[in-house]
Amino acid sequence: MNEQDTESRFEFLKGDKVLWMVILVISIFSIFPVYSASSNLEYIVNNGTTTGHVIKHMFFVVLGLGIMRLAGTVKYEYIGKLSSILLGLMIVLLVVTMFTGQTIDGASASRWLKIPGTPISFQPSSFAFLMLIIYLCRYLTKKITRERLPIENIMYIFGPILLVFVLVAKDNGSTALMILMVSVVVLIIGQLHWKYIAGFISSSFVAIVLFLIIALNTNLIGGNRVHTWMSRIETFTSAKAKTADVDDESVKAKNYQVMQAKAAIVHGGITGMGPGKSALKQMLPQSASDFIFAVIVEEYGVIGAAFLISMYLIMMIRIVMIASKMPAFFGSLLVLSLGVMIFMQLSVNIAVAVNLIPVTGQPLPLISYGGTSMLVTYLQLGIILNISSRIQIYDEEGMGKKQSVAEINDIA
């Protein structure tokens, strides 16, 4: 009786308990840097109040945790079966966004779609990315037992990837590139034949080059942001090379965001300035979202950054462990694929903050201020936790009973 009570008490945290704890720690921690950095939105951008922004962030944290828990109540197989329908819906929304999309918080790209009759806006690209990856995992699992015809790969694998890529690329180049990269990783993990993967990569490269040439030299693709992308890459390479023929003041002006981020990181030192005491957050554009890692380092120092990165590292390790213990191929492939999505976004955000790659608009998972990306990340983690709760053990007679709480707590 006592053992049953214990299991039911922990059943709310369905799935891997270590992963649950890491998610909760990061979620709670996110409130402090967002509260500090959002003062930039109030006093510099003149958008809302610091209290209002942190309450909004806390609302999305609670909502995200609720979505994550709700995802654990639905069989992940059903999510896979519905992925093709949901992907189709997201593609329709991406098309609508191309014509009626909005910009918010000073962004220069029309990535947001407003829900009619409400003040709520969201980015369809984030949900389309997620649905595409789930769809690919499901399709690769269904057809793994036989050789696919080339026409099948073109229509049901490469076609959806390129369609989503093209619809997203016009206004969100970094996300479109991530969609392409993660999709290729999923195809590799999903055991698609190498000749098809190589052909897809080659064809995609040629298509991207042609797109850039047409966009840079003609007006056939209106409203694209290719010139913005090229400017960021040129600024990044010029600042790195420090060439003599480059106007230093021009480079500094274009590289302002990264320079302020680097200054904030250096200012933080080992122990940091203390919570809320960032001196450079008011001069750092997008300090509450894209560059929030720099604010974290300035306020909490290398020690705080190391703690946060260690939390992410534990998250990634648990995801790999869950995938390795899941006997069903679809479940294992889906866990690894979602983990790759989170890891890619995490790596890109930190790499931008420390000036390893050109500036992009990728938020820090579970930390950055903003609704759509945060909710999608919670949904991803909810699916992973759902799958972890379905891990079973083998006994001498075959498949055994569902793991106990103690066994799930240490799935290694």
Short mmCIF file of all heavy atoms in Angstrom, two decimals, residues 313-379:
data_model
loop_
_atom_site.label_atom_id
_atom_site.label_comp_id
_atom_site.label_asym_id
_atom_site.label_seq_id
_atom_site.Cartn_x
_atom_site.Cartn_y
_atom_site.Cartn_z
N LEU A 313 23.96 20.03 -20.29
CA LEU A 313 24.72 18.81 -20.57
C LEU A 313 24.03 17.60 -19.97
O LEU A 313 23.92 16.54 -20.62
CB LEU A 313 26.14 18.95 -20.02
CG LEU A 313 27.07 17.75 -20.25
CD1 LEU A 313 27.24 17.49 -21.75
CD2 LEU A 313 28.43 18.00 -19.60
N ILE A 314 23.56 17.74 -18.74
CA ILE A 314 22.82 16.64 -18.10
C ILE A 314 21.56 16.32 -18.90
O ILE A 314 21.20 15.15 -19.10
CB ILE A 314 22.47 16.99 -16.64
CG1 ILE A 314 23.73 17.10 -15.79
CG2 ILE A 314 21.52 15.95 -16.04
CD1 ILE A 314 23.49 17.62 -14.39
N MET A 315 20.88 17.37 -19.39
CA MET A 315 19.69 17.17 -20.21
C MET A 315 20.01 16.35 -21.44
O MET A 315 19.30 15.38 -21.78
CB MET A 315 19.11 18.53 -20.62
CG MET A 315 17.88 18.44 -21.52
SD MET A 315 17.37 20.05 -22.18
CE MET A 315 16.80 20.85 -20.67
N MET A 316 21.10 16.71 -22.14
CA MET A 316 21.47 15.97 -23.34
C MET A 316 21.85 14.53 -23.03
O MET A 316 21.50 13.61 -23.78
CB MET A 316 22.65 16.69 -24.04
CG MET A 316 22.31 18.05 -24.61
SD MET A 316 21.04 17.98 -25.89
CE MET A 316 19.68 18.80 -25.04
N ILE A 317 22.57 14.33 -21.94
CA ILE A 317 22.96 12.97 -21.55
C ILE A 317 21.74 12.11 -21.25
O ILE A 317 21.64 10.96 -21.69
CB ILE A 317 23.90 13.01 -20.33
CG1 ILE A 317 25.25 13.63 -20.71
CG2 ILE A 317 24.11 11.61 -19.75
CD1 ILE A 317 26.18 13.86 -19.55
N ARG A 318 20.78 12.67 -20.53
CA ARG A 318 19.56 11.91 -20.21
C ARG A 318 18.78 11.58 -21.48
O ARG A 318 18.19 10.50 -21.61
CB ARG A 318 18.68 12.70 -19.25
CG ARG A 318 19.29 12.99 -17.90
CD ARG A 318 19.79 11.78 -17.18
NE ARG A 318 18.73 10.90 -16.69
CZ ARG A 318 18.96 9.86 -15.88
NH1 ARG A 318 20.19 9.59 -15.49
NH2 ARG A 318 17.96 9.10 -15.49
N ILE A 319 18.76 12.52 -22.44
CA ILE A 319 18.05 12.26 -23.69
C ILE A 319 18.69 11.10 -24.44
O ILE A 319 17.99 10.21 -24.95
CB ILE A 319 18.03 13.53 -24.56
CG1 ILE A 319 17.09 14.57 -23.94
CG2 ILE A 319 17.62 13.23 -26.00
CD1 ILE A 319 17.11 15.92 -24.64
N VAL A 320 20.02 11.08 -24.50
CA VAL A 320 20.71 9.97 -25.16
C VAL A 320 20.46 8.66 -24.42
O VAL A 320 20.26 7.60 -25.04
CB VAL A 320 22.22 10.26 -25.25
CG1 VAL A 320 22.98 9.04 -25.77
CG2 VAL A 320 22.49 11.46 -26.15
N MET A 321 20.44 8.71 -23.10
CA MET A 321 20.19 7.51 -22.31
C MET A 321 18.79 6.97 -22.54
O MET A 321 18.57 5.76 -22.67
CB MET A 321 20.41 7.81 -20.82
CG MET A 321 21.86 8.04 -20.45
SD MET A 321 22.05 8.75 -18.79
CE MET A 321 21.32 7.49 -17.78
N ILE A 322 17.81 7.87 -22.61
CA ILE A 322 16.42 7.46 -22.88
C ILE A 322 16.34 6.79 -24.24
O ILE A 322 15.71 5.73 -24.39
CB ILE A 322 15.48 8.67 -22.82
CG1 ILE A 322 15.37 9.19 -21.38
CG2 ILE A 322 14.08 8.31 -23.33
CD1 ILE A 322 14.70 10.55 -21.26
N ALA A 323 16.97 7.39 -25.25
CA ALA A 323 16.95 6.82 -26.59
C ALA A 323 17.60 5.44 -26.62
O ALA A 323 17.11 4.53 -27.31
CB ALA A 323 17.64 7.76 -27.58
N SER A 324 18.68 5.27 -25.88
CA SER A 324 19.40 3.99 -25.89
C SER A 324 18.62 2.89 -25.19
O SER A 324 18.82 1.71 -25.47
CB SER A 324 20.77 4.16 -25.23
OG SER A 324 20.63 4.45 -23.84
N LYS A 325 17.74 3.26 -24.25
CA LYS A 325 16.96 2.27 -23.49
C LYS A 325 15.59 2.00 -24.11
O LYS A 325 14.88 1.12 -23.64
CB LYS A 325 16.79 2.76 -22.05
CG LYS A 325 18.07 2.85 -21.25
CD LYS A 325 18.70 1.48 -21.06
CE LYS A 325 19.97 1.58 -20.22
NZ LYS A 325 20.58 0.26 -20.01
N MET A 326 15.22 2.75 -25.15
CA MET A 326 13.90 2.57 -25.75
C MET A 326 13.97 1.50 -26.82
O MET A 326 14.66 1.67 -27.83
CB MET A 326 13.43 3.90 -26.36
CG MET A 326 12.01 3.85 -26.90
SD MET A 326 10.83 3.56 -25.57
CE MET A 326 9.39 3.07 -26.49
N PRO A 327 13.28 0.36 -26.65
CA PRO A 327 13.37 -0.72 -27.64
C PRO A 327 12.69 -0.41 -28.96
O PRO A 327 13.11 -0.91 -29.99
CB PRO A 327 12.69 -1.91 -26.92
CG PRO A 327 11.77 -1.29 -25.93
CD PRO A 327 12.45 -0.02 -25.48
N ALA A 328 11.64 0.43 -28.95
CA ALA A 328 10.93 0.75 -30.18
C ALA A 328 11.75 1.73 -31.01
O ALA A 328 12.19 2.77 -30.51
CB ALA A 328 9.56 1.35 -29.86
N PHE A 329 11.96 1.42 -32.29
CA PHE A 329 12.81 2.25 -33.14
C PHE A 329 12.25 3.66 -33.29
O PHE A 329 12.99 4.64 -33.23
CB PHE A 329 12.96 1.61 -34.53
CG PHE A 329 13.86 2.39 -35.45
CD1 PHE A 329 15.24 2.32 -35.31
CD2 PHE A 329 13.33 3.21 -36.44
CE1 PHE A 329 16.07 3.05 -36.15
CE2 PHE A 329 14.16 3.94 -37.28
CZ PHE A 329 15.53 3.86 -37.14
N PHE A 330 10.95 3.79 -33.47
CA PHE A 330 10.34 5.11 -33.63
C PHE A 330 10.58 5.97 -32.39
O PHE A 330 10.95 7.14 -32.49
CB PHE A 330 8.84 4.97 -33.90
CG PHE A 330 8.12 6.29 -33.94
CD1 PHE A 330 8.51 7.31 -34.80
CD2 PHE A 330 7.04 6.54 -33.09
CE1 PHE A 330 7.84 8.53 -34.84
CE2 PHE A 330 6.37 7.76 -33.11
CZ PHE A 330 6.78 8.76 -33.99
N GLY A 331 10.37 5.38 -31.21
CA GLY A 331 10.58 6.13 -29.98
C GLY A 331 12.02 6.56 -29.81
O GLY A 331 12.30 7.71 -29.46
N SER A 332 12.94 5.66 -30.09
CA SER A 332 14.36 5.98 -29.96
C SER A 332 14.78 7.05 -30.96
O SER A 332 15.47 8.01 -30.61
CB SER A 332 15.19 4.71 -30.17
OG SER A 332 16.57 4.98 -30.06
N LEU A 333 14.34 6.91 -32.22
CA LEU A 333 14.68 7.88 -33.25
C LEU A 333 14.09 9.25 -32.94
O LEU A 333 14.76 10.28 -33.11
CB LEU A 333 14.17 7.39 -34.61
CG LEU A 333 14.34 8.34 -35.81
CD1 LEU A 333 15.82 8.63 -36.05
CD2 LEU A 333 13.71 7.74 -37.06
N LEU A 334 12.86 9.27 -32.44
CA LEU A 334 12.20 10.54 -32.13
C LEU A 334 12.90 11.25 -30.99
O LEU A 334 13.11 12.48 -31.04
CB LEU A 334 10.73 10.29 -31.79
CG LEU A 334 9.86 11.52 -31.54
CD1 LEU A 334 9.93 12.48 -32.72
CD2 LEU A 334 8.42 11.11 -31.27
N VAL A 335 13.29 10.52 -29.95
CA VAL A 335 14.00 11.13 -28.82
C VAL A 335 15.32 11.75 -29.28
O VAL A 335 15.63 12.91 -28.94
CB VAL A 335 14.24 10.09 -27.71
CG1 VAL A 335 15.23 10.62 -26.68
CG2 VAL A 335 12.94 9.72 -27.03
N LEU A 336 16.10 11.00 -30.05
CA LEU A 336 17.38 11.53 -30.52
C LEU A 336 17.18 12.75 -31.42
O LEU A 336 17.92 13.73 -31.33
CB LEU A 336 18.13 10.44 -31.29
CG LEU A 336 18.81 9.36 -30.45
CD1 LEU A 336 19.45 8.32 -31.36
CD2 LEU A 336 19.86 9.96 -29.52
N SER A 337 16.17 12.71 -32.28
CA SER A 337 15.93 13.81 -33.21
C SER A 337 15.52 15.08 -32.48
O SER A 337 16.00 16.17 -32.79
CB SER A 337 14.84 13.40 -34.22
OG SER A 337 15.23 12.25 -34.95
N LEU A 338 14.64 14.94 -31.50
CA LEU A 338 14.23 16.10 -30.71
C LEU A 338 15.40 16.63 -29.90
O LEU A 338 15.55 17.85 -29.72
CB LEU A 338 13.07 15.73 -29.79
CG LEU A 338 11.76 15.32 -30.50
CD1 LEU A 338 10.70 14.94 -29.47
CD2 LEU A 338 11.25 16.43 -31.40
N GLY A 339 16.24 15.73 -29.41
CA GLY A 339 17.44 16.14 -28.69
C GLY A 339 18.39 16.93 -29.58
O GLY A 339 18.99 17.92 -29.15
N VAL A 340 18.52 16.50 -30.84
CA VAL A 340 19.37 17.22 -31.79
C VAL A 340 18.83 18.63 -32.04
O VAL A 340 19.59 19.60 -32.12
CB VAL A 340 19.46 16.44 -33.12
CG1 VAL A 340 20.12 17.30 -34.20
CG2 VAL A 340 20.27 15.16 -32.93
N MET A 341 17.51 18.77 -32.14
CA MET A 341 16.89 20.08 -32.32
C MET A 341 17.25 21.02 -31.18
O MET A 341 17.65 22.17 -31.39
CB MET A 341 15.37 19.94 -32.42
CG MET A 341 14.86 19.30 -33.69
SD MET A 341 13.04 19.18 -33.70
CE MET A 341 12.59 20.94 -33.76
N ILE A 342 17.09 20.53 -29.95
CA ILE A 342 17.37 21.36 -28.77
C ILE A 342 18.86 21.71 -28.70
O ILE A 342 19.24 22.85 -28.44
CB ILE A 342 16.92 20.65 -27.49
CG1 ILE A 342 15.40 20.43 -27.51
CG2 ILE A 342 17.34 21.44 -26.25
CD1 ILE A 342 14.88 19.57 -26.38
N PHE A 343 19.71 20.71 -28.95
CA PHE A 343 21.16 20.92 -28.89
C PHE A 343 21.61 21.93 -29.94
O PHE A 343 22.46 22.79 -29.67
CB PHE A 343 21.89 19.60 -29.08
CG PHE A 343 23.38 19.73 -29.11
CD1 PHE A 343 24.09 19.91 -27.94
CD2 PHE A 343 24.08 19.68 -30.31
CE1 PHE A 343 25.48 20.05 -27.96
CE2 PHE A 343 25.45 19.81 -30.35
CZ PHE A 343 26.15 20.00 -29.16
N MET A 344 21.04 21.84 -31.14
CA MET A 344 21.41 22.76 -32.21
C MET A 344 21.05 24.20 -31.83
O MET A 344 21.86 25.12 -32.01
CB MET A 344 20.69 22.36 -33.50
CG MET A 344 21.11 23.15 -34.72
SD MET A 344 22.69 22.65 -35.40
CE MET A 344 22.26 21.04 -36.09
N GLN A 345 19.86 24.40 -31.33
CA GLN A 345 19.43 25.74 -30.94
C GLN A 345 20.29 26.28 -29.81
O GLN A 345 20.70 27.45 -29.82
CB GLN A 345 17.97 25.69 -30.51
CG GLN A 345 17.35 27.05 -30.24
CD GLN A 345 15.90 26.95 -29.83
OE1 GLN A 345 15.44 25.92 -29.34
NE2 GLN A 345 15.16 28.02 -30.03
N LEU A 346 20.59 25.43 -28.82
CA LEU A 346 21.44 25.81 -27.70
C LEU A 346 22.82 26.22 -28.17
O LEU A 346 23.36 27.27 -27.78
CB LEU A 346 21.51 24.63 -26.72
CG LEU A 346 22.60 24.66 -25.65
CD1 LEU A 346 22.32 25.76 -24.65
CD2 LEU A 346 22.70 23.31 -24.95
N SER A 347 23.42 25.40 -29.04
CA SER A 347 24.78 25.65 -29.51
C SER A 347 24.87 26.94 -30.32
O SER A 347 25.81 27.72 -30.16
CB SER A 347 25.26 24.47 -30.36
OG SER A 347 25.22 23.27 -29.62
N VAL A 348 23.87 27.16 -31.18
CA VAL A 348 23.89 28.36 -32.03
C VAL A 348 23.77 29.62 -31.18
O VAL A 348 24.49 30.60 -31.40
CB VAL A 348 22.75 28.30 -33.06
CG1 VAL A 348 22.57 29.64 -33.76
CG2 VAL A 348 23.03 27.21 -34.10
N ASN A 349 22.88 29.62 -30.19
CA ASN A 349 22.71 30.80 -29.35
C ASN A 349 23.99 31.16 -28.60
O ASN A 349 24.41 32.32 -28.59
CB ASN A 349 21.57 30.56 -28.35
CG ASN A 349 21.33 31.76 -27.44
OD1 ASN A 349 21.99 31.92 -26.42
ND2 ASN A 349 20.38 32.60 -27.81
N ILE A 350 24.62 30.16 -27.99
CA ILE A 350 25.85 30.42 -27.23
C ILE A 350 26.99 30.81 -28.17
O ILE A 350 27.78 31.71 -27.87
CB ILE A 350 26.23 29.19 -26.39
CG1 ILE A 350 25.16 28.94 -25.31
CG2 ILE A 350 27.59 29.38 -25.74
CD1 ILE A 350 25.41 27.72 -24.46
N ALA A 351 27.07 30.16 -29.34
CA ALA A 351 28.12 30.47 -30.30
C ALA A 351 28.03 31.91 -30.80
O ALA A 351 29.05 32.57 -31.00
CB ALA A 351 28.06 29.49 -31.47
N VAL A 352 26.82 32.41 -30.97
CA VAL A 352 26.63 33.80 -31.39
C VAL A 352 27.09 34.74 -30.28
O VAL A 352 27.77 35.75 -30.53
CB VAL A 352 25.15 34.07 -31.75
CG1 VAL A 352 24.90 35.57 -31.89
CG2 VAL A 352 24.79 33.36 -33.04
N ALA A 353 26.73 34.42 -29.04
CA ALA A 353 27.07 35.29 -27.91
C ALA A 353 28.57 35.43 -27.72
O ALA A 353 29.06 36.50 -27.33
CB ALA A 353 26.42 34.77 -26.63
N VAL A 354 29.31 34.36 -28.00
CA VAL A 354 30.77 34.40 -27.82
C VAL A 354 31.48 34.66 -29.15
O VAL A 354 32.71 34.50 -29.24
CB VAL A 354 31.29 33.09 -27.17
CG1 VAL A 354 30.70 32.92 -25.79
CG2 VAL A 354 30.97 31.88 -28.05
N ASN A 355 30.72 35.05 -30.17
CA ASN A 355 31.26 35.47 -31.47
C ASN A 355 32.01 34.36 -32.21
O ASN A 355 33.04 34.59 -32.83
CB ASN A 355 32.19 36.68 -31.28
CG ASN A 355 32.41 37.42 -32.59
OD1 ASN A 355 31.56 37.39 -33.49
ND2 ASN A 355 33.56 38.08 -32.72
N LEU A 356 31.46 33.16 -32.17
CA LEU A 356 32.03 32.06 -32.95
C LEU A 356 31.40 31.95 -34.32
O LEU A 356 32.00 31.42 -35.26
CB LEU A 356 31.86 30.73 -32.19
CG LEU A 356 32.68 30.56 -30.92
CD1 LEU A 356 32.39 29.21 -30.29
CD2 LEU A 356 34.18 30.70 -31.21
N ILE A 357 30.15 32.42 -34.45
CA ILE A 357 29.44 32.40 -35.73
C ILE A 357 28.71 33.73 -35.90
O ILE A 357 28.53 34.47 -34.92
CB ILE A 357 28.43 31.23 -35.81
CG1 ILE A 357 27.37 31.36 -34.71
CG2 ILE A 357 29.13 29.89 -35.72
CD1 ILE A 357 26.27 30.31 -34.80
N PRO A 358 28.28 34.06 -37.13
CA PRO A 358 27.55 35.32 -37.33
C PRO A 358 26.25 35.37 -36.55
O PRO A 358 25.71 34.34 -36.14
CB PRO A 358 27.29 35.32 -38.85
CG PRO A 358 28.32 34.42 -39.42
CD PRO A 358 28.56 33.37 -38.39
N VAL A 359 25.74 36.57 -36.36
CA VAL A 359 24.52 36.79 -35.58
C VAL A 359 23.33 36.10 -36.24
O VAL A 359 23.13 36.20 -37.45
CB VAL A 359 24.23 38.29 -35.43
CG1 VAL A 359 22.88 38.52 -34.75
CG2 VAL A 359 25.35 38.97 -34.65
N THR A 360 22.56 35.37 -35.45
CA THR A 360 21.29 34.78 -35.89
C THR A 360 20.22 35.15 -34.87
O THR A 360 20.51 35.78 -33.85
CB THR A 360 21.38 33.24 -36.00
OG1 THR A 360 21.54 32.69 -34.68
CG2 THR A 360 22.56 32.82 -36.86
N GLY A 361 19.01 34.69 -35.09
CA GLY A 361 17.92 35.02 -34.18
C GLY A 361 17.45 33.83 -33.36
O GLY A 361 16.26 33.71 -33.09
N GLN A 362 18.37 32.95 -32.97
CA GLN A 362 17.98 31.75 -32.24
C GLN A 362 18.00 31.99 -30.72
O GLN A 362 19.02 32.44 -30.19
CB GLN A 362 18.92 30.59 -32.58
CG GLN A 362 18.84 30.16 -34.05
CD GLN A 362 17.44 29.75 -34.46
OE1 GLN A 362 16.74 29.05 -33.73
NE2 GLN A 362 17.02 30.20 -35.63
N PRO A 363 16.91 31.71 -30.03
CA PRO A 363 16.86 31.92 -28.57
C PRO A 363 17.55 30.80 -27.80
O PRO A 363 17.84 29.74 -28.36
CB PRO A 363 15.34 31.92 -28.29
CG PRO A 363 14.77 31.03 -29.35
CD PRO A 363 15.62 31.25 -30.57
N LEU A 364 17.80 31.06 -26.54
CA LEU A 364 18.39 30.06 -25.64
C LEU A 364 17.25 29.20 -25.08
O LEU A 364 16.34 29.74 -24.44
CB LEU A 364 19.16 30.74 -24.52
CG LEU A 364 20.02 29.87 -23.61
CD1 LEU A 364 21.13 29.19 -24.41
CD2 LEU A 364 20.63 30.71 -22.49
N PRO A 365 17.26 27.89 -25.31
CA PRO A 365 16.13 27.03 -24.90
C PRO A 365 15.77 27.17 -23.42
O PRO A 365 16.64 27.12 -22.55
CB PRO A 365 16.65 25.61 -25.21
CG PRO A 365 17.64 25.80 -26.30
CD PRO A 365 18.30 27.11 -26.01
N LEU A 366 14.48 27.37 -23.16
CA LEU A 366 13.89 27.48 -21.82
C LEU A 366 14.31 28.73 -21.06
O LEU A 366 13.85 28.95 -19.94
CB LEU A 366 14.22 26.25 -20.96
CG LEU A 366 13.78 24.89 -21.50
CD1 LEU A 366 14.18 23.80 -20.51
CD2 LEU A 366 12.29 24.86 -21.76
N ILE A 367 15.15 29.58 -21.66
CA ILE A 367 15.65 30.76 -20.96
C ILE A 367 15.16 32.04 -21.62
O ILE A 367 14.59 32.92 -20.95
CB ILE A 367 17.19 30.77 -20.93
CG1 ILE A 367 17.73 29.57 -20.14
CG2 ILE A 367 17.69 32.07 -20.30
CD1 ILE A 367 17.60 29.67 -18.66
N SER A 368 15.36 32.17 -22.92
CA SER A 368 15.08 33.43 -23.61
C SER A 368 13.61 33.84 -23.49
O SER A 368 12.71 33.00 -23.47
CB SER A 368 15.46 33.30 -25.09
OG SER A 368 16.85 33.21 -25.24
N TYR A 369 13.41 35.13 -23.44
CA TYR A 369 12.07 35.71 -23.37
C TYR A 369 11.38 35.57 -24.72
O TYR A 369 11.92 35.91 -25.76
CB TYR A 369 12.19 37.19 -23.00
CG TYR A 369 10.87 37.93 -22.93
CD1 TYR A 369 9.97 37.70 -21.90
CD2 TYR A 369 10.54 38.87 -23.91
CE1 TYR A 369 8.76 38.38 -21.85
CE2 TYR A 369 9.35 39.57 -23.85
CZ TYR A 369 8.46 39.32 -22.82
OH TYR A 369 7.27 39.99 -22.77
N GLY A 370 10.17 35.05 -24.70
CA GLY A 370 9.42 34.83 -25.93
C GLY A 370 8.57 33.58 -25.80
O GLY A 370 8.98 32.62 -25.15
N GLY A 371 7.40 33.59 -26.41
CA GLY A 371 6.46 32.51 -26.19
C GLY A 371 6.59 31.30 -27.07
O GLY A 371 6.71 30.17 -26.58
N THR A 372 6.62 31.48 -28.40
CA THR A 372 6.54 30.36 -29.33
C THR A 372 7.67 29.36 -29.15
O THR A 372 7.45 28.16 -28.98
CB THR A 372 6.53 30.85 -30.78
OG1 THR A 372 5.46 31.78 -30.97
CG2 THR A 372 6.34 29.68 -31.73
N SER A 373 8.90 29.85 -29.18
CA SER A 373 10.06 28.96 -29.08
C SER A 373 10.06 28.22 -27.75
O SER A 373 10.37 27.02 -27.68
CB SER A 373 11.36 29.76 -29.23
OG SER A 373 12.48 28.93 -29.08
N MET A 374 9.70 28.92 -26.67
CA MET A 374 9.68 28.29 -25.36
C MET A 374 8.64 27.17 -25.29
O MET A 374 8.92 26.07 -24.80
CB MET A 374 9.40 29.34 -24.28
CG MET A 374 9.28 28.77 -22.87
SD MET A 374 9.12 30.05 -21.62
CE MET A 374 10.78 30.73 -21.61
N LEU A 375 7.45 27.43 -25.81
CA LEU A 375 6.39 26.42 -25.76
C LEU A 375 6.74 25.22 -26.62
O LEU A 375 6.45 24.07 -26.25
CB LEU A 375 5.07 27.03 -26.22
CG LEU A 375 4.49 28.13 -25.32
CD1 LEU A 375 3.15 28.62 -25.86
CD2 LEU A 375 4.32 27.65 -23.88
N VAL A 376 7.37 25.45 -27.78
CA VAL A 376 7.79 24.35 -28.63
C VAL A 376 8.84 23.49 -27.93
O VAL A 376 8.81 22.26 -28.00
CB VAL A 376 8.32 24.87 -29.98
CG1 VAL A 376 9.01 23.76 -30.77
CG2 VAL A 376 7.19 25.46 -30.81
N THR A 377 9.78 24.15 -27.23
CA THR A 377 10.80 23.39 -26.50
C THR A 377 10.18 22.55 -25.39
O THR A 377 10.55 21.39 -25.19
CB THR A 377 11.84 24.35 -25.89
OG1 THR A 377 12.44 25.13 -26.92
CG2 THR A 377 12.93 23.57 -25.16
N TYR A 378 9.22 23.12 -24.67
CA TYR A 378 8.52 22.34 -23.63
C TYR A 378 7.76 21.17 -24.26
O TYR A 378 7.72 20.07 -23.68
CB TYR A 378 7.55 23.24 -22.86
CG TYR A 378 8.20 24.03 -21.75
CD1 TYR A 378 8.25 25.42 -21.79
CD2 TYR A 378 8.75 23.38 -20.65
CE1 TYR A 378 8.83 26.15 -20.77
CE2 TYR A 378 9.35 24.11 -19.63
CZ TYR A 378 9.39 25.49 -19.70
OH TYR A 378 9.98 26.21 -18.68
N LEU A 379 7.17 21.38 -25.42
CA LEU A 379 6.46 20.29 -26.10
C LEU A 379 7.44 19.20 -26.52
O LEU A 379 7.14 17.99 -26.37
CB LEU A 379 5.73 20.84 -27.33
CG LEU A 379 4.91 19.83 -28.15
CD1 LEU A 379 3.90 19.11 -27.28
CD2 LEU A 379 4.22 20.54 -29.32
#
